[in-house]
Every structure is written in C-alpha cells, then in structure tokens.
Amino acid sequence: MRKMLLNGLIHPPLTEAGPTADEIAALAAELDHAARRRLGRSLSIREVDAGSCNGCELEVNALGNAFYDLERFGIRFVASPRHADVLLVTGPVTLNMKEALERTWNATPDPKWVVAAGACALDGGLFKESYACAGGVHAVIPVDLHIPGCPPTPMQLLAGLLALMER
Amino acid sequence: MATSPLLEILSRGRPAEAHRPWPRFVVGGDLWIALTNGLVERHWTLAGLWGDDGAVHMALIEEASQSLAIATYDCPDGRYPSVGKYHPPAIRPERALHDLFGLEPEGLPDTRPWLDHGRWPVRHPLAAEPAAGTEAQPYRFLPAEGEGLHQIPVGPVHAGIIEPGHFRFTANGETVVRLEERLGYTHKGTERLMASMPVTEAARLAARISGDSTVAYGIAFASATEAALGIEVPARAHWLRALMAEIERLANHFGDIGAVCNDAAFAMMLAHCGALRERLLRAAAAAFGHRLMMDRVVPGGVAADLDETGIAAIRDAVRIASAAFPRLIELYDNTASLQDRMIGTGIVSSALVHRYGCGGFVGRASGRGFDARRTLPYPPYDALDFEVPVLNQGDVGARVWIRIREAQQSMALIGQILDRLPDGPHHVPATGSGPGEGVGIAEGFRGDVLACVAVDGDGKVRRCHLRDPSWFQWPLLEAAIEGNIVADFPLCNKSFNCSYSGHDL
C-alpha cells in the first residue's frame, strides 16, 4: 500500500480538464439566470432512479472517478433529499416509482431544481408508450434542465451540472 | 450427447415446431408435475418460468447432459399446477406471471402481487383482455414475531446512486433476523412493448433491460431471434460479440470490486478500480462508438466493424489493467481491516445456490460451477481457452475473489480474441422466414441471461421473454443477511449486485 501511495505522489493526477465553456453555455442557455446566481459555486445533489435501466446510474457513478473528479467543482452527491439543492432524476418514471419521486421532491427544501438526465427522463424514451410509465420526469415534477444521451456520458452530465452553477 | 432423463420425460409431450436450437414440448398435467418433481429432486434446474397467451412456459437446464429445454403447459381455463408450491425458486416468477397475465398458479403458497403495485391503469396487462386497474392495496410483509424485534424500512429511494427497491429488515438490536425484499419499482412494461415490434426495434429494448449487461442481453436476444428466423451469423460477428461481452464483464467486475471495498470504507480500491473501469469504457467508446456498447449487438451480427484504432485502444486499456491489477489484488488481500469485513460475512450455502440455480459470481462463490459459456457453449467460446473459477466459502470475500479471478480470465480472453479474430463480414440482414421460435442464452457478468423469442410471419416479435440472472439471486440475498448485522447489509448487497431493472423488466 505504501508503494501505491508513493506512486500517487510522484505521478501526475489522472484528472482531466472539465467541459469547455461552449459545452456548458449550450446547456446554460436553457436555464434562467436567477437559478445560476442562487446556487453560486456549490451544489448538493440527490440522485433518484425513477425506473432507469441502470445505464444512467453507471455514468453518474463514473463522475466520481479520478478522471472526472466531480467534487473539485464543488458538486457532491448527498444521501438525503433534505440536504439537496438539486434532484438528478433518471428513467422514464415508472408508475410504481411515481409516488416515491413526488415524495422525494416534497422532501427537498426550497429553493430546489430538477435535472432530468437521459433519453427516458425527457419523455419516456423507448418506454413512452408503456402502460407502466408516466412518460418522463416533467409529467410528475417540474424540470429545470434536461441532459440528453442514452445514457449521457460523464462529460455531458458534468457540463449540465456546471451549467446550473454560475461559473 | 449423453442420455438425458429430462428429454426422455419431455419427449412424451408434443414437440413444438420450428423451435431452435433447443426444443420445446407441450406437456399435460402429469408431465408438468413430473418435471416439477425433477426440480425438487435436483435432476434439473429451473432457468425461467413465464407466461403466454393461455399458456405457461418453463425453461429447464440439465447440466449433466448439457441440455436446455422448454416445457409448455396449455391452460385455456387460466389455471395451472403451481411449481412454486413444491419448488420455492418458482414463487416469484409465478407471482409476476399472475400480475402480468392473470393466470392462476393452483396451490401457490404466496399469492401477494409482485410486479403490480396497484399503480397501473390496467390489471394483467399482457393478457389477451386486460382488466381495468384497481386501487393500490397495502402490501403485507411477512411477519416476524418475538420480544425486542423492530423493523427498519429502507427504500425504494436509497442513499447511494443505485436502483430503487424496498428492503424491510426485522432486527433484534443490530442483528438482522429477517430481510424481506419488495421489488417491481422499475417495471417498465418492456415485454408488452416488445410484442408486435420488428425484431431490430425490439433489440433496442432488449439492450435496455439492464444497462450494465447490455451486451449480454444483446447477445441473448440476437441469438434467440436468429435461431427463430433461421439466420446464420458470420464468424467475425460471434467473435466481436464475445470481445464486447468480455470487456463488459471486465469493466463491471472492476467497478464491483472497487464498490464492495468502498462499502467496507476502503476508498482506495474504488479509486484505483474506478480508473481501470473508466479506461476500459473509453476503449469501448473508441472501438465500438459507445461506452457501454449499447445497441452494438444487433440481430444479424454487430452494428459496426472493429478497426485497427479500436484494437489498439482495447489492447492499451487491457495492458494497463493487467499491469495494475496484481498490485490491487495484493492490496486487497493484505489489508487486514478490509478482510475482517469480507470474510465470513453474508454466507450463502451451497445447497441454496444449487436449489435456486443461482448463476454468476453468487453461484460460483458457493460451489455451483455453472457458466453458460462452458455448460451450454455458444460460439466462439467453444474455441476459446478459459477457466471457470469456483469457490466454496460462499461469503462476501468469496464473491469478490470470483470477480478477481474472472477479471483475470477476461483479460486473457480479450487477448485471445484479438489475436484470432477471423476476417469476413460482421453482419447479415436480419430477415428470414418466420414464424419461428428461438432460445438464446448468454453469460453476462452477473450470470446467465435467457431470451425466448417467438417471431411471427412478418418478422415481428409475437412474444419475448428475457430472464435476468437476478431472479434466482435476489431471494438468496435474504438468506445471506440473516444473522449478520444491519451495517453489513450494504456490503452483502453490493457483493450480490443484483439488477433491479433486469428483474422488474
């Protein structure tokens, strides 16, 4: 273990530059300015899987790895909606998850924002016509920002989250 | 092929036409019960149980003769003899089947709904004539009685970035005396959406049953469809599929090894394993155009050919991983505080994994050596050299070790595949003569994925059932946690890493 820790000191970090200003600006255009000013430079996120295939979760988890190092931007995932500024919601919102999503939203203190991540979260995606799905996050709670992709890449997710903050 | 008592019994039924590559037989009540007895006596293993329009199907695997077969019980009156009454692994599939089709399992001891939480506008959505939805009823959890017991409800929204499901713990102080799972939260109605879709479109849904196993699902669905339509896939496509499958397995095992250690508060392993996983996903994106390789396996072959840049990217990622991995294994094995959490935690008995036909690292950590790549070999694995590691301890530590050993095997397999990748076309058109029925099985990182597809005369899916390995792993998590402390549940759960979405469909 000592050798590995020493290597960590000698070698440069794996962490790469974040998304470019253009990539962020494209998503920021969707947001109203007030949201960005209010959130400032820090963001606490509660992730809610509302019926995704778990592909989105894999990429959200990847944000924590050494290449993206989410926390350097002041963004962190929290364990309770009561600690969150932002709900990051994935999946087409299955009817079996609808109430849980509503209750999570109600448990999140104001001011709060909702980011819908992935093709399913936009409008239900491939599951749009299903008897078991509400057809996207906006059908259940108000959405402030949508990050596209199936699943969105960590870089797309990062650009979306940074767009929420004034940078 | 060795003589097969399973096929001997089944052949007394009526064989279904155009069912490939494994046979299907329509059986009467006597044979259905004889087959159930065979499950109880462990002559064969339940590989799936699902509904159809006025019929119930049961997939059975007989390991000794390396055969798989499907038994169908026609039930125009909507009732069939319950398998779960005698063989508990069938209980949840029968509950799900009832929710979706309204077919009554006669004698099933547990008749609570499973996937249907009373939230859908319809009841029995896959039945020929669905009924109107009803009000949600409170769910009755199984009782646990005694002095000093208390309940802890967890979920469906969890503290981490994971899928939704509900866990009801009954604990005495710190010790769990009963865990009961309630799943179905991610039910998306996939099987009904698939019905009447062209096979190429249905393949996109199959790729999204469980995102972490998208390649395995792609292979299972594509091979079932190809069998149903009588399509011969070019050799290069088989090899490219296996290449993707091994990259998927390796990436997931790296992710899991790191995550299990992280749940034991050893974040360093997660950091290092996470970096190895990321490198592999980037190589996959460079080689196949998608980090998770979603929609890259298609009926007829693979979506895109692999070029020299892609090969170089994969070789590079695997070279870095094989150089770094031995140091990580040493770190894992020599950290006493970590081993203290792993060893002896969440033990699953060998008897249980055999009874449940539990596949993947959960089965192999408890002495069940089943691996679809070996037991029911499909190309190109019949031409590849690899080992299937098996351990007997059955604890969290053993499940991590199986992953470590499989990751090593996968790295070697990727090398073998790249060295021997045959030339030729990577795709043929997915058109063939229907109607037909096909079965496909693929070994994903989590275990064997089974796909059964019936295609009609227009090349559209009539009925498709996809069975995730988690169906037979989730129930054993309830057994694994018994007598452990509540604080070890995340560790046990992560060491199983069952799919919620794959199970809920």
Side-chain angles (χ1 to χ4, degrees):
Chain A
M1 176 158 37
R2 251 184 254 139
K3 201 174 162 200
M4 291 183 81
L5 290 171
L6 192 65
N7 271 332
L9 291 174
I10 299 166
H11 296 288
L14 294 171
T15 312
E16 296 168 339
T20 64
D22 287 350
E23 288 170 289
I24 297 169
L27 282 161
E30 285 182 34
L31 287 165
D32 79 86
H33 186 66
R36 306 180 72 214
R37 203 173 51 221
R38 201 140 192 188
L39 284 164
R41 300 185 63 84
S42 151
L43 208 56
S44 292
I45 305 174
R46 171 65 266 194
E47 205 265 355
V48 182
D49 176 339
S52 87
C53 73
N54 78 30
C56 289
E57 278 57 45
L58 294 176
E59 295 298 53
V60 172
N61 269 313
L63 286 172
N65 76 35
F67 289 86
Y68 304 105
D69 188 19
L70 185 72
E71 297 214 6
R72 72 186 142 140
F73 300 105
I75 304 174
R76 62 199 187 101
F77 286 98
V78 292
S80 165
R82 298 200 190 280
H83 305 156
D85 309 306
V86 171
L87 294 182
L88 177 65
V89 188
T90 64
V93 188
T94 58
L95 295 180
N96 287 351
M97 269 306 285
K98 185 168 167 275
E99 187 190 340
L101 177 60
E102 286 164 346
R103 287 169 71 166
T104 307
W105 191 75
N106 287 331
T108 311
D110 281 319
K112 59 191 165 195
W113 288 266
V114 174
V115 179
C120 294
L122 175 65
D123 61 356
L126 288 177
F127 304 99
K128 204 183 301 179
E129 307 294 328
S130 172
Y131 62 86
C133 296
V137 179
H138 71 92
V140 180
I141 53 173
V143 173
D144 297 281
L145 176 70
H146 176 247
I147 302 175
C150 185
T153 63
M155 219 34 142
Q156 282 174 302
L157 287 165
L158 202 49
L161 295 175
L162 292 178
L164 268 181
M165 302 197 297
E166 205 159 41
R167 289 184 56 86
Chain B
M1 192 179 281
T3 52
S4 160
L6 172 63
L7 291 176
E8 202 275 311
I9 289 191
L10 280 169
S11 61
R12 283 182 248 157
R14 177 168 55 82
E17 280 174 38
H19 196 283
R20 293 176 288 251
W22 288 290
R24 177 167 79 85
F25 294 90
V26 180
V27 301
D30 293 354
L31 289 180
W32 184 262
I33 287 162
L35 292 167
T36 305
N37 286 337
L39 286 171
V40 176
E41 288 162 13
R42 278 208 219 145
H43 298 311
W44 39 81
T45 310
L46 185 68
L49 196 152
W50 67 100
D52 207 329
D53 195 7
V56 180
H57 306 290
M58 166 158 76
L60 303 161
I61 292 176
E62 188 179 49
E63 287 187 48
S65 65
Q66 296 193 308
S67 36
L68 186 155
I70 292 167
T72 302
Y73 179 82
D74 280 328
C75 44
D77 60 344
R79 312 173 75 80
Y80 65 97
S82 166
V83 178
K85 183 181 179 185
Y86 305 102
H87 189 59
I91 292 177
R92 286 182 181 175
E94 287 187 351
R95 289 167 68 188
L97 195 163
H98 178 261
D99 289 352
L100 297 178
F101 283 90
L103 300 176
E104 292 285 344
E106 283 179 310
L108 179 67
D110 186 347
T111 54
R112 295 172 298 168
W114 183 239
L115 298 178
D116 187 351
H117 292 192
R119 310 280 175 164
W120 309 332
V122 289
R123 284 186 80 206
H124 314 316
L126 274 79
E129 286 166 28
T134 49
E135 280 286 289
Q137 300 292 322
Y139 189 78
R140 286 175 295 105
F141 284 93
L142 299 173
E145 288 170 11
E147 209 176 326
L149 296 187
H150 62 281
Q151 288 202 339
I152 311 171
V154 178
V157 179
H158 297 290
I161 303 169
I162 58 168
E163 298 181 75
H166 183 88
F167 300 112
R168 184 65 59 100
F169 297 94
T170 305
N172 186 343
E174 277 196 292
T175 309
V176 179
V177 296
R178 166 170 248 166
L179 160 66
E180 189 182 356
E181 297 152 359
R182 189 190 184 197
L183 302 173
Y185 289 93
T186 71
H187 178 77
K188 293 183 269 293
T190 312
E191 291 191 352
R192 195 172 95 175
L193 285 171
M194 282 182 149
S196 78
M197 264 189 183
V199 289
T200 42
E201 246 177 86
R204 289 174 55 78
L205 278 174
R208 286 160 183 79
I209 303 280
S210 182
D212 51 15
S213 304
T214 180
V215 174
Y217 270 95
I219 295 173
F221 179 81
S223 37
T225 314
E226 288 148 5
L229 292 172
I231 299 171
E232 278 292 327
V233 177
R236 187 174 174 85
H238 282 306
W239 284 70
L240 287 175
R241 284 176 181 180
L243 177 62
M244 290 189 235
E246 295 310 318
I247 294 174
E248 179 175 85
R249 188 182 331 276
L250 188 55
N252 281 314
H253 280 348
F254 281 149
D256 278 1
I257 294 166
V260 174
C261 295
N262 193 51
D263 277 348
F266 195 66
M268 192 171 164
M269 279 293 282
L270 176 67
H272 284 273
C273 290
L276 296 183
R277 176 182 161 86
E278 177 66 23
R279 287 185 194 280
L280 273 170
L281 298 191
R282 290 178 174 201
F288 301 106
H290 191 286
R291 285 164 55 88
L292 305 179
M293 297 168 283
M294 231 168 221
D295 303 324
R296 272 23 185 198
V297 178
V298 293
V302 294
D305 206 355
L306 179 67
D307 60 14
E308 288 303 321
T309 332
I311 293 177
I314 296 169
R315 282 204 193 272
D316 220 30
V318 173
R319 183 181 50 77
I320 292 173
S322 20
F325 202 40
R327 288 202 305 271
L328 291 174
I329 301 171
E330 202 189 321
L331 176 65
Y332 170 78
D333 207 23
N334 293 336
T335 304
S337 62
L338 190 56
Q339 291 303 311
D340 182 52
R341 295 289 304 278
M342 304 280 166
I343 307 300
T345 305
I347 295 175
V348 184
S349 73
S350 168
L352 267 182
V353 297
H354 280 96
R355 189 177 189 190
Y356 274 76
C358 177
F361 37 75
V362 180
R364 292 195 278 274
S366 296
R368 181 173 184 262
F370 179 85
D371 184 319
R373 296 174 297 172
R374 176 63 40 86
T375 314
L376 300 166
Y378 48 97
Y381 291 104
D382 37 10
L384 290 166
D385 183 26
F386 64 101
E387 278 170 34
V388 177
V390 181
L391 291 171
N392 293 306
Q393 291 88 331
D395 56 1
V396 173
R399 290 188 283 277
V400 173
W401 266 113
I402 293 285
R403 286 175 169 97
I404 291 174
R405 305 251 312 263
E406 286 185 8
Q408 293 167 325
Q409 292 296 318
S410 288
M411 288 190 268
L413 276 169
I414 292 171
Q416 282 184 50
I417 295 170
L418 287 176
D419 289 344
R420 295 167 52 193
L421 193 62
D423 289 326
H426 63 278
H427 185 258
V428 292
T431 49
S433 51
E437 298 178 345
V439 192
I441 193 161
E443 187 72 23
F445 85 102
R446 182 179 280 122
D448 47 302
V449 174
L450 180 77
C452 294
V453 183
V455 185
D456 67 16
D458 305 329
K460 288 184 176 165
V461 173
R462 184 189 66 75
R463 171 86 178 104
C464 172
H465 175 68
L466 295 157
R467 196 270 300 140
D468 195 89
S470 303
W471 275 101
F472 302 120
Q473 294 168 340
W474 274 120
L476 300 194
L477 179 61
E478 292 182 351
I481 190 65
E482 201 185 314
N484 285 254
I485 58 171
V486 177
D488 275 342
F489 178 69
L491 199 57
C492 292
N493 191 22
K494 197 71 219 178
S495 76
F496 271 65
N497 191 17
C498 297
S499 173
Y500 299 71
S501 182
H503 168 282
D504 297 348
L505 273 180

